[in-house]
Amino acid sequence: MARIIKFEKNDCAPCAQVSAYLDNKGIAYETINPFDEPELAVKFKVRTVPTVIVLENDAIKNRIIGFNPAELDQIAL
């Protein structure tokens, strides 16, 4: 099963849109603020928020930057 990580920061409108979208689709994810955990941001090469990382067997399967419903639909399958 894939693990989904969403990098976001407080008061980020696109971040809230991504959360609402994932919640609406019933997709489980964990949220990380890259400013609170910079080592994880570096590890996953996160340069902007929101960034959604889909991991499968600890390898990055997909990376979605920004609020992009067409790309987010791919992980909803």
Side-chain angles (χ1 to χ4, degrees):
M1 175 170 270
R3 176 180 169 207
I4 300 172
I5 304 171
K6 182 173 76 81
F7 287 87
E8 68 171 17
K9 67 177 187 158
N10 298 337
D11 300 327
C12 166
C15 298
Q17 288 178 300
V18 171
S19 291
Y21 184 90
L22 295 174
D23 291 342
N24 187 41
K25 296 286 186 176
I27 298 171
Y29 60 94
E30 60 185 278
T31 302
I32 296 173
N33 184 325
F35 300 100
D36 293 339
E37 299 192 47
E39 67 284 350
L40 288 176
V42 169
K43 176 182 176 181
F44 291 109
K45 299 178 183 171
V46 172
R47 296 181 180 209
T48 188
V49 292
T51 296
V52 176
I53 305 283
V54 180
L55 297 173
E56 203 165 277
N57 298 322
D58 292 328
I60 296 175
K61 179 182 174 186
N62 200 350
R63 175 187 305 268
I64 302 164
I65 298 171
F67 177 61
N68 188 329
E71 288 185 26
L72 289 168
D73 275 342
Q74 294 175 7
I75 65 173
L77 301 175

Coordinates of all heavy atoms in Angstrom, one line a residue:
M1 N 0.8 -1.2 0.0 CA 0.0 0.0 0.0 C 0.9 1.2 0.0 O 1.9 1.3 0.6 CB -0.9 0.0 1.2 CG -1.7 1.3 1.3 SD -3.0 1.2 2.6 CE -4.3 0.5 1.6
A2 N 0.4 2.3 -0.7 CA 1.2 3.5 -0.8 C 1.1 4.3 0.4 O 0.0 4.3 1.1 CB 0.7 4.3 -2.0
R3 N 2.1 5.1 0.7 CA 2.1 6.0 1.8 C 2.1 7.4 1.2 O 2.9 7.7 0.3 CB 3.3 5.8 2.7 CG 3.5 6.8 3.8 CD 4.8 6.5 4.5 NE 5.1 7.6 5.4 CZ 6.3 7.9 5.8 NH1 7.4 7.2 5.4 NH2 6.5 8.9 6.6
I4 N 1.2 8.3 1.6 CA 1.0 9.6 1.0 C 1.4 10.7 2.1 O 0.9 10.7 3.2 CB -0.4 9.9 0.5 CG1 -0.7 8.8 -0.6 CG2 -0.5 11.3 0.0 CD1 -2.1 8.8 -1.0
I5 N 2.3 11.5 1.7 CA 2.8 12.6 2.6 C 2.5 13.9 1.9 O 2.8 14.1 0.7 CB 4.3 12.5 2.8 CG1 4.7 11.2 3.4 CG2 4.7 13.7 3.8 CD1 6.2 10.9 3.5
K6 N 1.8 14.8 2.6 CA 1.5 16.2 2.1 C 2.4 17.2 2.9 O 2.2 17.3 4.1 CB 0.1 16.5 2.2 CG -0.3 17.9 1.6 CD -1.8 18.1 1.5 CE -2.4 18.4 2.8 NZ -2.3 19.8 3.2
F7 N 3.2 17.9 2.2 CA 4.0 19.0 2.8 C 3.2 20.3 2.6 O 2.7 20.6 1.5 CB 5.3 19.1 2.1 CG 6.3 18.0 2.4 CD1 6.3 16.8 1.7 CD2 7.2 18.2 3.5 CE1 7.2 15.8 2.0 CE2 8.0 17.1 3.8 CZ 8.1 16.0 3.1
E8 N 2.9 20.9 3.7 CA 2.1 22.2 3.7 C 2.6 23.1 4.8 O 3.4 22.7 5.7 CB 0.7 21.8 4.0 CG 0.4 21.3 5.4 CD -1.1 21.2 5.7 OE1 -1.9 21.2 4.8 OE2 -1.4 21.1 6.9
K9 N 2.1 24.3 4.7 CA 2.4 25.3 5.8 C 1.0 25.9 6.2 O 0.1 25.9 5.4 CB 3.4 26.4 5.4 CG 2.9 27.3 4.4 CD 4.0 28.4 4.1 CE 3.4 29.4 3.1 NZ 4.1 30.6 3.2
N10 N 1.0 26.5 7.4 CA -0.2 27.2 7.9 C -0.6 28.4 7.0 O 0.3 29.0 6.4 CB 0.0 27.7 9.3 CG 0.2 26.5 10.2 OD1 -0.1 25.4 10.0 ND2 0.9 26.8 11.4
D11 N -1.8 28.7 6.9 CA -2.3 29.8 6.1 C -2.0 29.7 4.6 O -1.7 30.7 4.0 CB -1.9 31.1 6.7 CG -2.3 31.3 8.1 OD1 -3.4 30.8 8.4 OD2 -1.6 31.9 8.9
C12 N -2.0 28.5 4.1 CA -1.7 28.3 2.6 C -3.0 27.9 2.0 O -3.4 26.7 2.2 CB -0.5 27.3 2.5 SG -0.3 26.6 0.8
A13 N -3.6 28.7 1.1 CA -4.8 28.4 0.5 C -4.7 27.2 -0.4 O -5.6 26.3 -0.3 CB -5.4 29.6 -0.3
P14 N -3.7 27.0 -1.3 CA -3.6 25.8 -2.1 C -3.4 24.6 -1.2 O -3.9 23.5 -1.6 CB -2.4 26.0 -3.0 CG -2.3 27.5 -3.0 CD -2.7 28.0 -1.7
C15 N -2.8 24.7 -0.1 CA -2.6 23.5 0.8 C -3.9 23.1 1.4 O -4.2 21.9 1.4 CB -1.7 23.9 2.0 SG 0.0 24.4 1.5
A16 N -4.8 24.0 1.7 CA -6.1 23.7 2.2 C -6.9 23.1 1.1 O -7.7 22.1 1.4 CB -6.8 25.0 2.7
Q17 N -6.8 23.5 -0.1 CA -7.5 22.9 -1.2 C -7.1 21.4 -1.4 O -8.0 20.6 -1.6 CB -7.3 23.7 -2.5 CG -7.9 25.0 -2.6 CD -7.6 25.8 -3.9 OE1 -6.4 26.0 -4.1 NE2 -8.6 26.1 -4.6
V18 N -5.8 21.2 -1.3 CA -5.3 19.8 -1.5 C -5.9 18.9 -0.3 O -6.4 17.8 -0.6 CB -3.8 19.7 -1.5 CG1 -3.3 18.3 -1.4 CG2 -3.3 20.4 -2.8
S19 N -5.9 19.4 0.9 CA -6.4 18.7 2.0 C -7.9 18.4 1.8 O -8.3 17.3 2.1 CB -6.2 19.5 3.3 OG -4.8 19.5 3.7
A20 N -8.6 19.4 1.5 CA -10.1 19.2 1.2 C -10.3 18.2 0.2 O -11.2 17.3 0.3 CB -10.7 20.5 0.9
Y21 N -9.5 18.2 -0.9 CA -9.7 17.3 -2.0 C -9.4 15.8 -1.5 O -10.2 14.9 -1.8 CB -8.8 17.7 -3.2 CG -8.9 16.8 -4.4 CD1 -9.9 17.1 -5.4 CD2 -8.2 15.6 -4.5 CE1 -10.0 16.3 -6.5 CE2 -8.4 14.8 -5.6 CZ -9.3 15.2 -6.6 OH -9.5 14.4 -7.7
L22 N -8.3 15.7 -0.9 CA -7.9 14.3 -0.4 C -8.9 13.8 0.6 O -9.3 12.6 0.6 CB -6.5 14.3 0.2 CG -5.4 14.6 -0.8 CD1 -4.0 14.8 0.0 CD2 -5.3 13.6 -1.9
D23 N -9.4 14.7 1.5 CA -10.4 14.3 2.5 C -11.7 13.9 1.8 O -12.3 12.9 2.2 CB -10.6 15.4 3.5 CG -9.4 15.7 4.4 OD1 -8.6 14.8 4.5 OD2 -9.4 16.8 5.0
N24 N -12.1 14.6 0.8 CA -13.3 14.3 0.1 C -13.2 13.0 -0.6 O -14.2 12.3 -0.7 CB -13.6 15.4 -0.9 CG -15.0 15.3 -1.6 OD1 -15.9 14.9 -0.9 ND2 -15.0 15.5 -2.9
K25 N -12.1 12.6 -1.1 CA -11.9 11.3 -1.8 C -11.6 10.2 -0.8 O -11.5 9.0 -1.2 CB -10.7 11.4 -2.8 CG -10.9 12.4 -3.9 CD -11.9 11.9 -4.9 CE -12.0 12.8 -6.1 NZ -12.9 12.3 -7.1
G26 N -11.5 10.5 0.5 CA -11.2 9.5 1.5 C -9.8 8.9 1.5 O -9.6 7.8 1.8
I27 N -8.9 9.7 1.0 CA -7.5 9.3 0.9 C -6.7 9.7 2.2 O -6.7 10.8 2.6 CB -6.8 10.0 -0.3 CG1 -7.5 9.6 -1.6 CG2 -5.3 9.7 -0.3 CD1 -7.1 10.4 -2.8
A28 N -6.1 8.7 2.8 CA -5.4 8.9 4.0 C -4.0 9.4 3.7 O -3.4 9.0 2.7 CB -5.2 7.6 4.8
Y29 N -3.6 10.4 4.5 CA -2.3 11.0 4.2 C -1.7 11.6 5.5 O -2.5 11.8 6.5 CB -2.4 12.2 3.2 CG -3.3 13.3 3.6 CD1 -2.8 14.4 4.2 CD2 -4.7 13.2 3.3 CE1 -3.7 15.4 4.6 CE2 -5.5 14.2 3.7 CZ -5.1 15.3 4.3 OH -5.9 16.3 4.7
E30 N -0.4 11.8 5.6 CA 0.1 12.5 6.7 C 0.6 13.9 6.3 O 1.0 14.1 5.1 CB 1.3 11.7 7.4 CG 2.4 11.4 6.4 CD 3.4 10.5 7.1 OE1 4.3 10.9 7.9 OE2 3.4 9.2 6.8
T31 N 0.5 14.8 7.2 CA 0.9 16.2 6.9 C 2.2 16.6 7.6 O 2.3 16.3 8.8 CB -0.3 17.1 7.4 OG1 -1.5 16.7 6.7 CG2 0.0 18.6 7.0
I32 N 3.0 17.2 6.9 CA 4.3 17.7 7.4 C 4.5 19.1 7.0 O 4.4 19.5 5.8 CB 5.5 16.8 6.9 CG1 5.3 15.4 7.4 CG2 6.8 17.4 7.3 CD1 6.4 14.4 6.8
N33 N 4.9 19.9 8.0 CA 5.3 21.3 7.7 C 6.8 21.3 7.5 O 7.6 21.0 8.4 CB 4.9 22.2 8.9 CG 5.2 23.7 8.6 OD1 6.2 24.0 7.9 ND2 4.4 24.6 9.1
P34 N 7.2 21.7 6.2 CA 8.7 21.6 5.9 C 9.5 22.6 6.8 O 10.7 22.4 6.9 CB 8.7 21.9 4.4 CG 7.5 22.7 4.1 CD 6.4 22.1 5.1
F35 N 8.9 23.6 7.3 CA 9.6 24.5 8.1 C 9.8 24.0 9.5 O 10.8 24.4 10.2 CB 8.9 25.9 8.2 CG 8.7 26.5 6.8 CD1 7.5 26.4 6.2 CD2 9.8 27.1 6.2 CE1 7.3 26.9 4.9 CE2 9.6 27.7 4.9 CZ 8.4 27.6 4.3
D36 N 9.0 23.1 10.0 CA 9.1 22.4 11.3 C 10.0 21.2 11.2 O 10.7 20.8 12.2 CB 7.8 22.0 11.8 CG 6.9 23.2 12.2 OD1 7.4 24.3 12.4 OD2 5.6 23.0 12.2
E37 N 10.1 20.6 10.0 CA 10.9 19.4 9.8 C 11.7 19.5 8.5 O 11.5 18.8 7.5 CB 10.0 18.2 9.7 CG 9.2 18.0 11.0 CD 8.5 16.6 11.1 OE1 9.2 15.6 10.8 OE2 7.3 16.6 11.5
P38 N 12.7 20.4 8.5 CA 13.5 20.7 7.3 C 14.3 19.5 6.8 O 14.5 19.4 5.6 CB 14.4 21.8 7.7 CG 14.5 21.8 9.2 CD 13.1 21.3 9.7
E39 N 14.6 18.6 7.7 CA 15.4 17.4 7.3 C 14.6 16.5 6.3 O 15.1 15.9 5.4 CB 15.9 16.6 8.5 CG 14.9 15.9 9.3 CD 14.1 16.8 10.3 OE1 14.5 18.0 10.5 OE2 13.1 16.3 10.9
L40 N 13.3 16.4 6.6 CA 12.4 15.7 5.7 C 12.2 16.4 4.4 O 12.1 15.8 3.3 CB 11.0 15.4 6.4 CG 11.1 14.3 7.5 CD1 9.7 14.2 8.1 CD2 11.5 13.0 7.0
A41 N 12.1 17.7 4.5 CA 11.9 18.5 3.2 C 13.2 18.3 2.3 O 13.0 18.2 1.1 CB 11.7 20.0 3.6
V42 N 14.3 18.3 2.9 CA 15.6 18.0 2.2 C 15.6 16.6 1.6 O 15.9 16.4 0.4 CB 16.8 18.3 3.0 CG1 18.1 17.8 2.3 CG2 16.9 19.8 3.4
K43 N 15.2 15.7 2.4 CA 15.2 14.3 2.0 C 14.3 14.1 0.8 O 14.7 13.3 -0.1 CB 14.7 13.4 3.2 CG 14.6 11.9 2.8 CD 14.1 11.1 4.0 CE 13.9 9.6 3.5 NZ 13.3 8.8 4.6
F44 N 13.1 14.7 0.8 CA 12.2 14.5 -0.3 C 12.3 15.6 -1.4 O 11.5 15.7 -2.3 CB 10.8 14.4 0.2 CG 10.5 13.1 1.0 CD1 10.4 13.2 2.4 CD2 10.5 11.9 0.4 CE1 10.2 12.0 3.1 CE2 10.3 10.7 1.1 CZ 10.1 10.8 2.4
K45 N 13.3 16.5 -1.2 CA 13.5 17.6 -2.2 C 12.3 18.5 -2.4 O 11.9 18.8 -3.5 CB 14.0 17.0 -3.5 CG 15.3 16.3 -3.3 CD 15.8 15.7 -4.6 CE 17.1 14.9 -4.3 NZ 17.5 14.1 -5.5
V46 N 11.7 18.8 -1.3 CA 10.5 19.7 -1.3 C 11.0 21.2 -1.4 O 11.7 21.6 -0.5 CB 9.6 19.5 -0.1 CG1 8.5 20.5 -0.1 CG2 9.0 18.1 -0.1
R47 N 10.5 21.9 -2.4 CA 10.9 23.3 -2.6 C 9.8 24.2 -2.5 O 10.0 25.4 -2.4 CB 11.6 23.4 -3.9 CG 12.9 22.7 -4.0 CD 13.6 22.9 -5.3 NE 14.9 22.1 -5.3 CZ 15.9 22.4 -6.0 NH1 15.9 23.5 -6.7 NH2 17.0 21.7 -6.0
T48 N 8.6 23.7 -2.6 CA 7.4 24.5 -2.5 C 6.2 23.8 -1.9 O 6.3 22.5 -1.8 CB 7.0 25.0 -3.9 OG1 5.9 26.0 -3.8 CG2 6.5 23.9 -4.8
V49 N 5.3 24.5 -1.4 CA 4.1 23.8 -0.8 C 2.9 24.3 -1.5 O 2.8 25.4 -2.0 CB 3.9 24.1 0.7 CG1 5.0 23.4 1.5 CG2 3.9 25.6 1.1
P50 N 1.9 23.5 -1.7 CA 1.8 22.1 -1.2 C 2.5 21.2 -2.2 O 2.5 21.4 -3.4 CB 0.3 21.8 -1.2 CG -0.2 22.7 -2.3 CD 0.6 23.9 -2.3
T51 N 3.1 20.2 -1.6 CA 3.8 19.1 -2.4 C 3.3 17.8 -1.8 O 3.4 17.6 -0.6 CB 5.3 19.1 -2.3 OG1 5.8 20.3 -2.9 CG2 5.9 17.9 -3.0
V52 N 2.7 16.9 -2.6 CA 2.2 15.6 -2.2 C 3.2 14.6 -2.8 O 3.5 14.6 -4.0 CB 0.8 15.3 -2.7 CG1 0.3 13.9 -2.4 CG2 -0.2 16.4 -2.2
I53 N 3.7 13.7 -1.9 CA 4.6 12.7 -2.3 C 3.9 11.3 -2.1 O 3.3 11.1 -1.0 CB 5.9 12.7 -1.4 CG1 6.6 14.1 -1.4 CG2 6.8 11.6 -1.8 CD1 7.3 14.3 -2.7
V54 N 3.9 10.5 -3.1 CA 3.4 9.2 -2.9 C 4.5 8.2 -2.9 O 5.3 8.1 -3.9 CB 2.4 8.8 -4.1 CG1 1.9 7.4 -4.0 CG2 1.3 9.8 -4.2
L55 N 4.7 7.5 -1.8 CA 5.7 6.5 -1.6 C 5.2 5.1 -1.7 O 4.1 4.8 -1.2 CB 6.4 6.7 -0.2 CG 7.0 8.0 0.1 CD1 7.5 8.0 1.6 CD2 8.3 8.2 -0.8
E56 N 6.0 4.3 -2.4 CA 5.7 2.8 -2.5 C 7.0 2.1 -2.2 O 7.9 2.3 -2.9 CB 5.1 2.5 -3.9 CG 4.2 1.2 -3.8 CD 3.4 1.1 -5.1 OE1 2.3 1.7 -5.1 OE2 3.9 0.4 -6.0
N57 N 7.0 1.3 -1.2 CA 8.2 0.6 -0.7 C 9.4 1.6 -0.5 O 10.5 1.4 -1.0 CB 8.6 -0.5 -1.7 CG 7.5 -1.5 -1.9 OD1 6.9 -1.9 -0.9 ND2 7.3 -2.0 -3.1
D58 N 9.0 2.7 0.1 CA 10.0 3.8 0.4 C 10.6 4.5 -0.8 O 11.6 5.2 -0.7 CB 11.1 3.3 1.3 CG 10.6 3.0 2.7 OD1 9.6 3.6 3.2 OD2 11.1 2.0 3.4
A59 N 10.1 4.2 -2.0 CA 10.5 4.9 -3.2 C 9.4 5.9 -3.7 O 8.2 5.6 -3.5 CB 10.8 3.9 -4.3
I60 N 9.8 7.0 -4.2 CA 8.8 8.0 -4.6 C 8.2 7.5 -5.9 O 8.9 7.3 -6.9 CB 9.5 9.4 -4.8 CG1 10.0 9.9 -3.5 CG2 8.5 10.4 -5.5 CD1 10.8 11.2 -3.6
K61 N 6.9 7.3 -5.9 CA 6.2 6.8 -7.0 C 5.6 8.0 -7.8 O 5.5 8.0 -9.0 CB 5.0 5.9 -6.6 CG 4.2 5.4 -7.7 CD 3.1 4.5 -7.1 CE 2.1 4.1 -8.2 NZ 1.0 3.4 -7.7
N62 N 5.2 9.1 -7.0 CA 4.6 10.2 -7.7 C 4.9 11.5 -6.8 O 5.0 11.4 -5.6 CB 3.1 10.0 -7.8 CG 2.4 10.9 -8.9 OD1 3.0 11.8 -9.4 ND2 1.2 10.6 -9.2
R63 N 4.9 12.6 -7.5 CA 5.1 13.9 -6.8 C 4.2 14.9 -7.5 O 4.2 15.1 -8.7 CB 6.6 14.4 -7.0 CG 6.8 15.8 -6.4 CD 8.2 16.3 -6.7 NE 9.2 15.3 -6.3 CZ 9.9 15.4 -5.1 NH1 9.6 16.3 -4.3 NH2 10.8 14.5 -4.8
I64 N 3.3 15.5 -6.6 CA 2.3 16.5 -7.2 C 2.6 17.8 -6.4 O 2.6 17.9 -5.2 CB 0.9 16.0 -6.9 CG1 0.7 14.6 -7.6 CG2 -0.1 17.0 -7.4 CD1 -0.5 13.9 -7.1
I65 N 2.8 18.8 -7.2 CA 3.1 20.1 -6.7 C 2.0 21.1 -7.0 O 1.5 21.2 -8.1 CB 4.4 20.7 -7.3 CG1 5.6 19.8 -6.9 CG2 4.7 22.1 -6.8 CD1 6.9 20.1 -7.7
G66 N 1.5 21.7 -5.9 CA 0.4 22.7 -6.1 C -1.0 21.9 -6.0 O -1.0 20.7 -5.8
F67 N -2.0 22.6 -6.2 CA -3.4 22.0 -6.3 C -3.7 21.7 -7.7 O -4.0 22.6 -8.5 CB -4.4 22.9 -5.7 CG -5.8 22.4 -5.8 CD1 -6.1 21.2 -5.1 CD2 -6.8 23.0 -6.5 CE1 -7.4 20.7 -5.2 CE2 -8.1 22.5 -6.6 CZ -8.4 21.3 -5.9
N68 N -3.6 20.4 -8.1 CA -3.8 20.0 -9.4 C -4.7 18.7 -9.4 O -4.3 17.6 -9.2 CB -2.5 19.6 -10.1 CG -2.6 19.3 -11.5 OD1 -3.6 18.8 -12.0 ND2 -1.6 19.5 -12.3
P69 N -6.1 19.0 -9.5 CA -7.0 17.9 -9.4 C -6.8 16.7 -10.3 O -7.0 15.6 -10.0 CB -8.4 18.6 -9.6 CG -8.2 20.0 -9.3 CD -6.7 20.3 -9.6
A70 N -6.4 17.0 -11.6 CA -6.1 16.0 -12.5 C -5.0 15.0 -12.0 O -5.2 13.8 -12.1 CB -5.8 16.5 -13.9
E71 N -4.0 15.6 -11.5 CA -2.9 14.7 -11.0 C -3.3 14.0 -9.7 O -3.0 12.9 -9.4 CB -1.6 15.5 -10.8 CG -1.0 15.9 -12.1 CD 0.4 16.6 -11.9 OE1 1.0 16.4 -10.8 OE2 0.8 17.4 -12.7
L72 N -4.1 14.7 -8.8 CA -4.5 14.2 -7.6 C -5.5 13.0 -7.8 O -5.5 12.0 -7.0 CB -5.2 15.2 -6.7 CG -4.2 16.2 -6.1 CD1 -5.0 17.4 -5.5 CD2 -3.3 15.6 -5.0
D73 N -6.2 13.0 -8.9 CA -7.1 11.9 -9.3 C -6.3 10.7 -9.5 O -6.8 9.6 -9.2 CB -7.9 12.3 -10.5 CG -9.2 13.0 -10.2 OD1 -9.6 13.1 -9.1 OD2 -9.7 13.7 -11.2
Q74 N -5.1 10.7 -9.9 CA -4.3 9.6 -10.2 C -4.0 8.8 -8.9 O -3.9 7.6 -9.0 CB -3.0 9.9 -10.9 CG -3.1 10.5 -12.2 CD -1.8 11.0 -12.8 OE1 -0.8 10.8 -12.3 NE2 -1.9 11.6 -14.0
I75 N -3.9 9.5 -7.8 CA -3.6 8.8 -6.5 C -4.9 8.3 -5.9 O -4.9 7.6 -4.9 CB -2.7 9.6 -5.6 CG1 -3.4 10.8 -5.1 CG2 -1.4 9.9 -6.2 CD1 -2.7 11.6 -4.0
A76 N -6.0 8.8 -6.4 CA -7.3 8.5 -5.8 C -7.8 7.1 -6.2 O -8.7 6.5 -5.7 CB -8.4 9.5 -6.1
L77 N -7.1 6.5 -7.2 CA -7.5 5.2 -7.8 C -7.2 4.1 -6.8 O -6.3 4.1 -6.1 CB -6.8 5.0 -9.1 CG -7.1 6.0 -10.2 CD1 -6.2 5.7 -11.4 CD2 -8.5 6.0 -10.5

